[in-house]
Amino acid sequence: MKKKMNIPIMNISIMKLALCFLILFTFSGCLGGREINDLEIVIGMGIDKDESTGNILLTAQVVKKEEVGGSGKGEGGGESKVFWNVSSIGNSIFDAVRQITHKTGDRLFVSHNQVVIFGKDIAAEGLQKYIDFFLRAHEMRPTALILIAEGRASDIMDVKPETEKFPAINIAKLIKSYGFTSHLYKVNMKDFASCLMSATTAPLAPLVSLSQNKDDKDIYVSGMVVFKNGKMIGKLNQEEVRGLLWVLGKVKGGVIIVSSPDKQGNAVLEIIKAKSKVTPEIKNGKIAMHVSIKEESSLAEQSTTENLATCPAFDEMQKASAEIIRQEILAAFNKSKELNADIFGFGEILHKKYSKKWKELKDNWDDIYPTIELKLEIETKILKTDLLKKPAFPSNEGE
Amino acid sequence: MFGYIFKKIRYLSLKNKDKSMLQDTIAKKNSEPISSDLERNLEVIKGILSDSSDVTIHEFNFGHDRRFKGALIFINSMVDKEEIHKNVLQPLMYGTLLLNKDIDMDFTQIDTIRRNLISMIDNLKVTLLSDLLDNLLAGATILLIDGSKEALVINPGKRESRAIDEPGTEAIVRGPREGFSENVNVNIALIRQKIKVPDLCVEKFIIGDKSKTDIFIVYIKSVANPKLIEEIKKRLSRIKVDAILESGYIEQFIEDNPYSIFPTISHTERPDKAVAKILEGRAAILIDGTPFVLIMPMVFIESFQSVEDYYSRPFLASIVRVIRFLSYIISTLGPAIYVALTVFHQELIPTQLLISIANGRERVPFPAILEALLMLFTFDILREAGVRLPKSVGQTVGIVGAIVLGQASVEAGLISPIMVIVVSSTAIASFAVPAQTGSGTILRYIYLVLAGLAGGFGVIMGLLATLLHLASLRSFGVPYLWPIAPLDFSGLKDTFIRMPLWTVSKRPKAIVWSDFDSYKQSPDLMPSPNGEGN
């Protein structure tokens, strides 16, 4: 008597399915999970030149995981640092990144890197050869902000901010809030690299400085650094940066102070909106850039007793603010001519419109750039006076 | 060695053959006709019932001269003795005394007794011993008369049953409070009260060699697909089991894909839900002895619908339905996504969140996957314990569980606080879709293991496999993912959101069998103040 052996079709399909899953997990190569505990979360990196050896000094700001949440726990022990600036010296950046594991014990986890700060000596030497790693490494964020330290990057990263826990995140916050003043603008790795690759456009990066007031150290952004061929060649101050941003159309907000029509005090305007349009023109071999700017603002503050909410006053203030904008733009333009660096990206604009002529222009752009003429057309408009219609003074009209 | 095994097998098969022969003889004996000799009949019946103590055989004489002999047989516990006494024994024993002596009735004829003496409606005549026994065991009283080859089955209709109560598993805020009970006759009545059409069919089956359970298929002939009914009957008729104790038995014997983790037959305790589905062209199977009614065919989205969706206005109902879909996703994918993110894709977590997760996990000694499995397992233990325990003790379990799960394990550094949040939100979400709790629990573990092995890649592979499986499922010929796949726009009106009742004028296309009678309401029912539709 034989027992019936019937293999249902089900079993075969189950075997097929199991095989599929086996293949999935053996061939996928995705088995490299890492527990969060084992991560050294890097939130900021600084690159300096080691003074004695001339090698690269890498400072990584690593989160001290056990200290972060415990503001309540460690009360008695005073303030303990929640971050750790660990540094190492290497021949290349990647070498230094790997060298750091001698100190941290774990590989750095750089996906959350917020800022990369280059020391001034590195910037002067040329960023091109240092930036490669940050663009190439797959863990690196292309949106990490790029900054230049006025002194050494490691000093900047040591300054403990008052409200934020981490210096790197604080610096990133400083840069990201540029819209309130338009005195700088944020440049990330991707933007910087695309400017680097352009033949004409000069990249810029914010410059962070350290101010020392007795024991208190503070960080502030003092302007932007201009690069040419990857090397730092100069610096734009805050007004010049805004002049540049007017042309680029990147002004998001900020304050324009004009003297009031009665010359007794000031009227302060807040920029609400700004637009720009750049049209290149080549006439008789001379290049002119027509820049038209439309700006809208509101009256945010006044320091005179005069009622500024009148048509003649508005007209006058609009004219005055247009003049200030013009001054700022010209300051930036003159500075760029002085440095002979195309910070406005005029080269690219010409390339788009006059692509045939561009081939001739491209090769001696350095000679052509200082000869470019700038034609400005600025239109300003004050839209509102916010909550007050009259200043808080006794009215001297009527009677 | 092999010889011994073969011998053993042969012995076992012979033994089975013996048993089946025994059963055959019983069956043969039972199918004998009733003899006219009362004494002999009683002896046979006694023999078959093996002198059970709760079987009462009451012999008596009747007629005006007491010359007729009769016997009542019934099972004590299943019969209303009062009724039998009043309506059977009294007329036979006293009623006949009052008869005029000249009217000589022949009381050996069952029909004479039935027509003249028994004042109960529910009775029938049987001639076979097996029918007699079936009815006796189902709770009827048997009247045997000496000299008659027939027996009278009298059904006094007493049956212990629970009062109609609010259904325990499907509580709602707005809607009828009645639920099915264990008595199938009551259940049919509950359905009949809601559908008053002549073509509501109630077809009876008796399944179970030993339990002889009454099973009813209920459907509306003009709406339900005749092929569906035929298929159900075919599947029911091949069930050969000892007993059907609950609707789950039937479900597991007739479902389409027994290996699937997804149920393809739905069940309910609510008459209004059953009726709504019968009206859509589905068939309900009512089983005696359980308040759960099976309804087929079932589609996946039915799990996310509640009767209350249709009783409340469409806006909140739609939001609630979206919440149910979301909670099913959370309940299956929650822990998996957490593990995949924290172990494989840390770059996707916002920096601040990553730092706080890292801080929470700093003291935890286990890998995230183990931590998640541990927590889920603890939760499942708690849930199971809470369900089985008496209510008073169940609360204690809840408190202990909350403290152990929530606080102590975090403070002891075994579990990170975020894992507690993930698992508890998963647990809460899993209760939002009661019909898919089983599949959700299994999927949760599968996805979690896949996430632990291969991260987001593994989760997506798991999701694809689930989707393929769902798309391949059929419930009595209806695609399980209808109306999403195959896409049916008219069906989508009642899928992710619930459109107002007046927009849904047709019965579900996949279930109803023809265009004939596909409208359940007139298509221009949109209310407007001047009393006329647009």
Side-chain angles (χ1 to χ4, degrees):
Chain A
M1 200 170 168
K2 261 188 182 176
K3 262 195 163 180
K4 266 189 229 161
M5 277 288 286
N6 53 340
I7 304 167
I9 306 163
M10 190 70 201
N11 280 0
I12 293 166
S13 64
I14 280 178
M15 274 155 69
K16 275 185 193 162
L17 207 72
L19 199 72
C20 283
F21 272 91
L22 205 73
I23 289 168
L24 196 159
F25 290 116
T26 46
F27 290 91
S28 64
C30 284
L31 297 172
R34 279 202 291 168
E35 291 299 326
I36 268 188
N37 311 30
D38 305 335
L39 298 178
E40 295 297 345
I41 303 165
V42 177
I43 49 170
M45 288 172 112
I47 317 290
D48 285 308
K49 233 176 166 80
D50 186 46
E51 274 147 356
S52 51
T53 57
N55 276 347
I56 291 165
L57 175 71
L58 176 87
T59 313
Q61 191 157 89
V62 172
V63 176
K64 282 165 105 175
K65 285 165 285 187
E66 58 279 15
E67 306 283 348
V68 179
S71 56
K73 284 179 200 166
E75 248 176 295
E79 278 180 47
S80 56
K81 262 193 184 174
V82 292
F83 60 91
W84 176 30
N85 283 344
V86 55
S87 57
S88 73
I89 296 169
N91 286 320
S92 73
I93 291 180
F94 188 55
D95 181 32
V97 166
R98 283 291 180 256
Q99 292 278 342
I100 263 183
T101 52
H102 292 311
K103 289 183 182 172
T104 59
D106 276 312
R107 180 160 74 90
L108 293 185
F109 179 70
V110 291
S111 287
H112 282 274
N113 191 18
Q114 306 282 313
V115 290
V116 179
I117 305 172
F118 291 98
K120 203 171 188 177
D121 38 2
I122 294 268
E125 192 195 325
L127 275 187
Q128 229 131 15
K129 58 179 172 183
Y130 298 103
I131 208 170
D132 185 84
F133 169 76
F134 295 100
L135 300 169
R136 196 182 293 272
H138 73 272
E139 260 188 12
M140 216 41 109
R141 276 181 192 232
T143 54
L145 299 174
I146 185 165
L147 295 127
I148 309 300
E150 192 151 27
R152 293 182 67 77
S154 56
D155 296 341
I156 301 280
M157 288 170 66
D158 272 335
V159 178
K160 195 170 177 295
E162 294 293 329
T163 51
E164 277 291 328
K165 281 176 182 164
F166 304 103
I169 286 174
N170 184 50
I171 294 168
K173 220 166 97 178
L174 291 182
I175 304 292
K176 280 173 185 163
S177 62
Y178 74 95
F180 295 112
T181 57
S182 302
H183 283 156
L184 63 141
Y185 71 97
K186 108 183 154 180
V187 183
N188 60 32
M189 278 290 165
K190 189 187 62 175
D191 300 338
F192 195 81
S194 66
C195 281
L196 267 185
M197 285 194 282
S198 157
T200 55
T201 311
L204 285 101
L207 179 72
V208 273
S209 313
L210 207 59
S211 72
Q212 188 136 17
N213 188 8
K214 289 174 196 165
D215 280 346
D216 285 344
K217 282 182 185 170
D218 281 318
I219 285 172
Y220 68 101
V221 183
S222 54
M224 289 187 86
V225 174
V226 183
F227 289 84
K228 196 173 182 186
N229 301 326
K231 284 188 182 119
M232 184 176 97
I233 51 165
K235 183 192 150 187
L236 298 183
N237 65 24
Q238 293 180 339
E239 280 71 35
E240 287 160 352
V241 173
R242 194 157 82 182
L244 163 70
L245 294 184
W246 286 118
V247 178
L248 296 180
K250 281 186 179 169
V251 171
K252 280 191 175 171
V255 171
I256 298 175
I257 302 173
V258 297
S259 59
S260 64
D262 64 354
K263 310 292 175 215
Q264 299 286 313
N266 287 332
V268 183
L269 304 175
E270 189 196 2
I271 304 163
I272 300 171
K273 207 161 108 184
K275 272 196 279 185
S276 81
K277 200 179 170 196
V278 182
T279 21
E281 188 190 28
I282 304 181
K283 222 176 195 178
N284 310 327
K286 284 205 86 177
I287 299 169
M289 307 301 289
H290 295 267
V291 179
S292 84
I293 285 161
K294 278 182 186 156
E295 184 253 8
E296 287 170 3
S297 59
S298 72
L299 182 64
E301 191 185 354
Q302 73 173 72
S303 56
T304 65
T305 56
E306 190 193 357
N307 182 10
L308 292 182
T310 56
C311 283
F314 264 41
D315 275 347
E316 221 161 304
M317 286 191 295
Q318 282 169 2
K319 267 181 210 158
S321 64
E323 187 50 36
I324 285 175
I325 294 171
R326 180 186 304 275
Q327 292 305 327
E328 285 178 352
I329 294 174
L330 286 176
F333 187 60
N334 291 334
K335 186 69 169 256
S336 81
K337 275 187 171 176
E338 189 187 304
L339 298 170
N340 199 3
D342 181 9
I343 51 175
F344 298 96
F346 287 155
E348 294 291 330
I349 295 170
L350 278 170
H351 186 182
K352 275 175 200 157
K353 184 145 186 200
Y354 300 100
S355 45
K356 278 179 191 161
K357 276 189 189 165
W358 176 246
K359 277 173 195 160
E360 307 156 23
L361 298 173
K362 184 174 69 176
D363 294 330
N364 35 10
W365 181 246
D366 278 356
D367 300 331
I368 295 167
Y369 185 75
T371 67
I372 289 179
E373 224 179 301
L374 194 64
K375 288 183 176 162
L376 290 173
E377 192 182 305
I378 299 163
E379 199 179 297
T380 57
K381 203 172 181 186
I382 300 172
L383 292 179
K384 53 183 183 174
T385 59
D386 289 349
L387 291 184
L388 290 185
K389 278 194 173 165
K390 289 175 187 171
F393 282 103
S395 168
N396 47 11
E397 283 170 43
E399 285 178 306
Chain B
M1 180 78 199
F2 284 107
Y4 172 74
I5 292 169
F6 278 127
K7 222 184 263 174
K8 195 92 187 165
I9 289 169
R10 199 172 299 150
Y11 169 69
L12 283 173
S13 61
L14 279 175
K15 205 171 156 193
N16 283 340
K17 208 176 261 174
D18 276 357
K19 241 185 209 166
S20 58
M21 273 162 71
L22 190 78
Q23 273 169 348
D24 280 350
T25 50
I26 290 176
K28 216 178 270 171
K29 218 179 196 175
N30 289 356
S31 58
E32 277 173 19
I34 299 166
S35 85
S36 56
D37 181 4
L38 180 65
E39 295 296 321
R40 194 173 166 261
N41 280 339
L42 290 179
E43 227 160 84
V44 171
I45 290 169
K46 268 182 198 164
I48 290 170
L49 294 175
S50 354
D51 296 319
S52 284
S53 57
D54 61 340
V55 178
T56 305
I57 298 178
H58 175 71
E59 289 179 67
F60 58 93
N61 298 331
F62 66 103
H64 57 91
D65 49 359
R66 300 279 185 227
R67 68 182 159 101
F68 298 105
K69 269 198 247 170
L72 273 178
I73 313 167
F74 56 87
I75 295 172
N76 265 339
S77 46
M78 294 176 83
V79 168
D80 190 350
K81 279 183 220 159
E82 193 77 12
E83 290 275 306
I84 295 295
H85 182 72
K86 212 163 71 189
N87 298 321
V88 182
L89 264 184
Q90 236 168 19
L92 277 173
M93 295 182 74
Y94 302 114
T96 48
L97 279 183
L98 304 176
L99 285 174
N100 196 328
K101 278 174 193 163
D102 302 339
I103 304 167
D104 194 19
M105 276 181 166
D106 181 11
F107 287 129
T108 56
Q109 291 299 311
I110 284 288
D111 270 329
T112 322
I113 297 177
R114 192 180 175 192
R115 289 206 186 112
N116 299 312
L117 291 172
I118 307 296
S119 53
M120 279 180 85
I121 310 162
D122 204 357
N123 52 39
L124 72 144
K125 230 163 48 173
V126 291
T127 50
L128 284 179
L129 206 52
S130 59
D131 290 348
L132 186 154
L133 283 170
D134 281 352
N135 282 303
L136 174 67
L137 293 171
T141 306
I142 313 290
L143 176 67
L144 282 171
I145 307 289
D146 193 25
S148 163
K149 285 194 167 183
E150 295 165 328
L152 192 64
V153 173
I154 305 156
N155 217 332
K158 183 209 167 193
R159 158 123 198 230
E160 298 298 336
S161 79
R162 195 162 56 98
I164 292 173
D165 204 359
E166 197 172 346
T169 56
E170 287 163 279
I172 60 171
V173 178
R174 179 178 177 177
R177 297 269 182 265
E178 62 188 11
F180 286 126
S181 72
E182 282 76 7
N183 188 341
V184 76
N185 291 318
V186 175
N187 295 350
I188 291 172
L190 286 173
I191 291 179
R192 281 249 186 226
Q193 276 164 18
K194 285 187 158 68
I195 310 178
K196 292 169 192 117
V197 286
D199 64 343
L200 177 77
C201 288
V202 179
E203 288 189 40
K204 186 175 176 179
F205 276 73
I206 293 178
I207 299 180
D209 288 343
K210 302 241 183 317
S211 71
K212 305 238 179 350
T213 311
D214 288 353
I215 284 162
F216 295 89
I217 310 177
V218 182
Y219 59 95
I220 301 176
K221 206 168 198 171
S222 58
V223 180
N225 190 340
K227 278 187 190 161
L228 167 73
I229 306 301
E230 210 170 293
E231 179 67 26
I232 294 172
K233 285 183 195 164
K234 206 174 87 192
R235 292 191 193 180
L236 281 179
S237 62
R238 57 168 282 275
I239 303 177
K240 299 266 181 294
V241 288
D242 265 3
I244 300 293
L245 299 181
E246 213 277 331
S247 58
Y249 281 54
I250 299 280
E251 182 184 352
Q252 288 164 61
F253 284 123
I254 66 172
E255 65 188 343
D256 279 72
N257 194 341
Y259 287 108
S260 175
I261 56 170
F262 294 97
T264 48
I265 294 173
S266 65
H267 58 80
T268 182
E269 250 188 293
R270 303 190 59 87
D272 51 338
K273 191 171 175 182
V275 163
K277 304 223 157 163
I278 289 170
L279 285 169
E280 282 185 341
R282 293 184 174 87
I285 296 184
L286 280 68
I287 291 120
D288 195 20
T290 175
F292 288 95
V293 167
L294 297 179
I295 294 161
M296 65 224 58
M298 178 200 185
V299 292
F300 188 55
I301 52 149
E302 265 178 66
S303 323
F304 302 92
Q305 298 167 341
S306 149
V307 273
E308 209 180 349
D309 291 357
Y310 306 94
Y311 302 155
S312 52
R313 301 187 64 237
F315 313 104
L316 181 67
S318 299
I319 292 173
V320 169
R321 192 167 284 179
V322 171
I323 289 173
R324 284 195 208 109
F325 276 101
L326 282 180
S327 32
Y328 188 63
I329 293 171
I330 292 171
S331 81
T332 50
L333 284 173
I337 286 177
Y338 173 76
V339 167
L341 281 182
T342 57
V343 180
F344 289 87
H345 317 291
Q346 294 98 349
E347 61 276 3
L348 292 179
I349 310 172
T351 307
Q352 295 287 354
L353 181 62
L354 177 79
I355 291 172
S356 66
I357 292 176
N359 176 50
R361 268 196 62 82
E362 192 51 33
R363 286 170 67 209
V364 178
F366 311 118
I369 168 87
L370 196 62
E371 193 190 353
L373 280 174
L374 210 72
M375 278 296 280
L376 282 180
F377 194 57
T378 319
F379 163 69
D380 280 333
I381 292 173
L382 269 174
R383 191 186 53 174
E384 188 58 21
V387 170
R388 306 287 163 234
L389 276 177
K391 264 178 194 160
S392 48
V393 192
Q395 277 185 343
T396 324
V397 170
I399 293 164
V400 169
I403 291 169
V404 168
L405 271 178
Q407 226 174 334
S409 55
V410 171
E411 271 172 23
L414 287 176
I415 304 291
S416 66
I418 296 198
M419 183 58 84
V420 175
I421 295 169
V422 169
V423 171
S424 50
S425 55
T426 304
I428 295 165
S430 70
F431 292 122
V433 188
Q436 295 288 352
T437 311
S439 72
T441 308
I442 299 163
L443 284 178
R444 191 181 310 143
Y445 283 106
I446 293 174
Y447 291 154
L448 180 58
V449 170
L450 287 176
L453 287 173
F457 180 71
V459 174
I460 285 172
M461 284 296 143
L463 279 174
L464 280 178
T466 315
L467 195 67
L468 284 178
H469 173 65
L470 277 173
S472 76
L473 276 183
R474 294 276 186 287
S475 171
F476 289 85
V478 176
Y480 198 51
L481 279 186
W482 179 90
I484 303 154
L487 191 63
D488 176 9
F489 285 106
S490 65
L492 282 179
K493 281 181 186 171
D494 186 19
T495 303
F496 298 109
I497 55 164
R498 179 180 87 71
M499 297 281 277
L501 285 182
W502 43 267
T503 62
V504 188
S505 49
K506 282 185 167 184
R507 298 197 173 88
K509 214 200 261 171
I511 293 158
V512 97
W513 63 293
S514 69
D515 284 340
F516 170 74
D517 212 22
S518 66
Y519 278 92
K520 60 176 177 182
Q521 62 193 30
S522 85
D524 53 352
L525 277 181
M526 184 181 162
S528 65
N530 53 16
E532 285 172 35
N534 40 345

